[in-house]
């Protein structure tokens, strides 16, 4: 075990990388310095866990706390720090209490019940794409409206307001796109909007998740008003933004690897396994940048993390760990190895993972079935990318296909 504190200056983090590539530095760190000292754009320095087993330890071990970050100048990529009362800042048992309130909406059984409706939405979007004709922007015409429609119907948010909460979501994820004052303003608008929906559900409950949360607040006293609003906001943002980004990114990965695309199109029964490999292979952001603070001294990657020190997890690096995966930097749509941690691990494992998996599977299969010869409409280098936000992804993805 190494207990000496590092003398070198912390590495600037996140590491620079273009498009969906990973910085080569991750490989060196996994090999030589699996727990490295880093400095994020905001907050105090942190340890960075880059190996698979170390990542699972930090994400799943109760000796690492999310709640301990509240009130600290926590390491972060965005200019603001989450305040108390959001589900991401709780540890069990408080975290478990809030999570149980929404678990029923995301069980495998409930997701199976939603499958036909999600397929219907996907088919209607493709119908519109085919009717309009090529080229189509798969981000605006498919990747975004699919999960937005699903989460609106599940939570109980009017679909016609999607333009507003898309803007608010983008501000929530902003690293440099918006100023701190702009972010605070958009967050206030989101809070007012959600408070208005809650007030409507109090007078006219509906068959949706928001009404269930209101009942849990008013009838059972199982959460505070701030917790109710924060939970609803988190579900709205996380329920569409990451899935939309993943749909577009997965399509980009496949469209720029024609041999993989052709193999998958020839055997669509492989789509579920392909989705798992794409979740492992495709970076969504810089990793789990919600820091965990050690509540006691813990050995991680041969280094002693002292009580009170924060650790951030490079999920993208952990999912490329050569000690776990064969040829980790190669896309293998038939891979059957260790479970990836693309949805996280431990108490904060993504609550909506079953829904996201189902949407991703339906999205890929529907597009490959119904848009024969799907390919990029422009040169690969002309694909537009998001800038100034914490999620890495395609902003526009023009495509064409064969008309039959």
């Amino acid at each position: 075990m190494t207990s000496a504190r590092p003398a070198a200056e912390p590495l600037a983090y996140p590491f620079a990388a273009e498009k969906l590539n990973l910085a080569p530095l991750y490989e060196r760190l996994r090999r030589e310095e699996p727990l490295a000292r880093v400095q994020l754009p905001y907050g105090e320095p942190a340890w960075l866990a880059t190996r698979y087993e170390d990542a699972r330890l930090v994400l799943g071990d109760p000796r690492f706390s999310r709640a301990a970050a509240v009130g600290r100048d926590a390491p972060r990529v965005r200019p603001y720090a989450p305040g108390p009362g959001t589900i991401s800042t709780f540890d069990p048992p408080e975290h478990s209490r809030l999570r149980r309130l929404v678990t029923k909406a995301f069980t495998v059984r409930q997701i199976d019940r939603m499958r036909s409706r999600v397929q219907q939405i996907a088919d209607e979007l493709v119908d519109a794409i085919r009717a309009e004709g090529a080229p189509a922007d798969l981000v605006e015409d498919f990747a975004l409206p699919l999960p937005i429609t699903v989460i609106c119907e599940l939570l109980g948010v009017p679909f016609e307001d999607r333009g507003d909460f898309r803007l608010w979501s983008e501000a929530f994820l902003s690293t440099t796109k918006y100023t701190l004052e702009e972010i605070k303003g958009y967050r206030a608008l989101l809070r007012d909007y959600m408070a208005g929906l809650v007030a409507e559900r109090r007078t006219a409950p509906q068959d949706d998740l928001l009404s269930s949360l209101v009942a849990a607040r008013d009838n059972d006293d199982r959460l505070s008003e701030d917790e109710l609003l924060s939970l609803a906001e988190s579900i709205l943002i996380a329920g569409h933004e990451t899935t939309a980004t993943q749909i577009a990114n997965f399509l980009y990965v496949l469209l720029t690897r024609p041999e993989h695309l052709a193999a998958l199109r020839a055997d669509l029964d492989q789509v579920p396994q392909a989705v798992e490999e794409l979740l492992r292979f495709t970076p969504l952001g810089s990793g789990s940048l919600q820091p965990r603070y050690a509540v006691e001294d813990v050995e991680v990657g041969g280094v002693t993390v002292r009580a009170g020190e924060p650790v951030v997890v490079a999920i993208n690096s952990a999912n490329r760990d050569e000690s776990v995966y064969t040829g980790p930097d190669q896309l293998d749509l038939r891979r059957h190895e260790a479970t990836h941690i693309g949805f996280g691990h431990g108490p904060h494992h993504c609550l909506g993972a079953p829904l996201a998996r189902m949407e991703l599977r339906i999205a890929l299969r529907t597009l490959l079935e119904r848009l024969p010869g799907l390919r990029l409409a422009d040169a690969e280098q002309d694909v537009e990318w998001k800038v100034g936000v914490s999620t890495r992804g395609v902003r526009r993805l023009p495509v064409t296909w064969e008309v039959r």
Side-chain angles (χ1 to χ4, degrees), residues 325-381:
Y325 302 103
T326 304
D329 293 325
Q330 301 300 314
L331 183 67
D332 179 0
L333 298 182
R334 294 179 180 269
R335 185 185 298 274
H336 289 279
E337 289 184 291
T339 303
H340 64 80
I341 55 171
F343 288 119
H345 176 69
H348 288 272
H349 178 271
C350 178
L351 182 66
L355 176 60
R357 279 190 167 98
M358 185 257 283
E359 291 176 301
L360 290 166
R361 293 171 180 177
I362 287 177
L364 287 187
R365 183 163 191 140
T366 302
L367 289 170
L368 295 183
E369 277 184 331
R370 302 201 54 209
L371 297 178
L374 184 66
R375 60 191 182 276
L376 293 177
D378 300 325
E380 180 182 344
Q381 60 266 28

Side-chain angles (χ1 to χ4, degrees), residues 26-48:
Y26 282 123
E27 183 178 357
R28 183 186 71 76
L29 291 178
R30 289 194 302 268
R31 183 176 63 252
E32 301 176 5
E33 195 180 356
L35 202 71
R37 209 63 178 148
V38 294
Q39 177 63 62
L40 276 68
Y42 302 93
E44 62 182 310
W47 292 104
L48 177 72

Side-chain angles (χ1 to χ4, degrees), residues 120-335:
Q120 180 185 9
I121 295 168
D123 284 332
E124 290 173 352
L125 291 170
V126 174
D127 287 344
I129 288 173
R130 288 166 60 98
E132 184 68 22
D137 176 9
L138 282 186
V139 175
E140 287 294 327
D141 297 337
F142 188 88
L144 270 167
L146 175 64
I148 285 178
T149 304
V150 172
I151 203 63
C152 283
E153 293 184 0
L154 179 66
L155 185 59
V157 174
F159 179 76
E160 56 267 25
D161 295 337
R162 64 192 181 282
D164 288 331
F165 64 72
R166 275 184 60 187
L167 173 61
W168 302 333
S169 299
E170 187 177 63
F172 182 87
L173 298 170
S174 172
T175 54
T176 59
K177 188 163 187 173
Y178 298 100
T179 67
L180 180 57
E181 289 306 311
E182 287 173 328
I183 294 170
K184 288 180 178 178
Y186 287 131
R187 287 174 62 83
L189 289 173
L190 175 58
R191 176 56 57 101
D192 290 344
Y193 174 79
M194 198 58 68
L197 291 180
V198 166
E200 291 177 6
R201 292 306 187 277
R202 285 199 163 105
T203 58
Q206 299 181 22
D207 183 19
D208 54 39
L209 181 54
L210 188 57
S211 296
S212 298
L213 293 176
V214 170
R217 161 68 178 151
D218 295 350
N219 301 334
D220 303 327
D221 196 28
R222 286 186 285 170
L223 73 169
S224 69
E225 192 73 9
D226 278 346
E227 289 171 346
L228 165 60
L229 294 172
S230 294
L231 192 56
E233 291 165 0
S234 297
I235 294 169
L236 178 61
I237 294 172
H240 83 272
E241 170 60 33
T242 54
T243 303
T245 300
Q246 286 174 318
I247 291 172
N249 285 353
F250 288 5
L251 288 166
Y252 171 83
V253 168
L254 291 171
L255 292 171
T256 54
R257 292 166 175 79
E259 69 282 7
H260 291 92
L261 181 63
L264 186 58
R265 184 183 284 117
D267 185 5
L268 290 175
D269 289 341
Q270 288 296 316
V271 164
Q273 186 57 38
V275 165
E276 296 308 307
E277 172 66 353
L278 287 162
L279 285 165
R280 181 201 70 84
F281 178 82
T282 310
L284 179 63
S286 298
S288 181
L289 295 185
Q290 296 180 335
R292 271 74 172 170
Y293 279 78
V295 297
E296 61 182 74
D297 290 359
V298 187
E299 181 187 358
V300 182
V303 173
T304 299
V305 178
R306 302 298 187 192
E309 291 183 334
V311 183
V312 293
V313 173
I315 285 178
N316 301 326
S317 174
N319 280 335
R320 299 284 189 94
D321 190 337
E322 45 279 296
S323 71
V324 177
Y325 302 103
T326 304
D329 293 325
Q330 301 300 314
L331 183 67
D332 179 0
L333 298 182
R334 294 179 180 269
R335 185 185 298 274

Side-chain angles (χ1 to χ4, degrees), residues 88-114:
S88 66
T89 62
F90 285 130
D91 294 330
E94 290 300 290
H95 177 267
S96 305
R97 170 180 60 86
L98 292 179
R99 192 177 176 99
R100 280 195 296 269
L101 294 175
V102 294
T103 295
K104 290 181 180 179
F106 296 100
T107 62
V108 174
R109 178 177 296 180
Q110 181 61 26
I111 297 307
D112 282 341
R113 293 195 186 106
M114 297 173 60

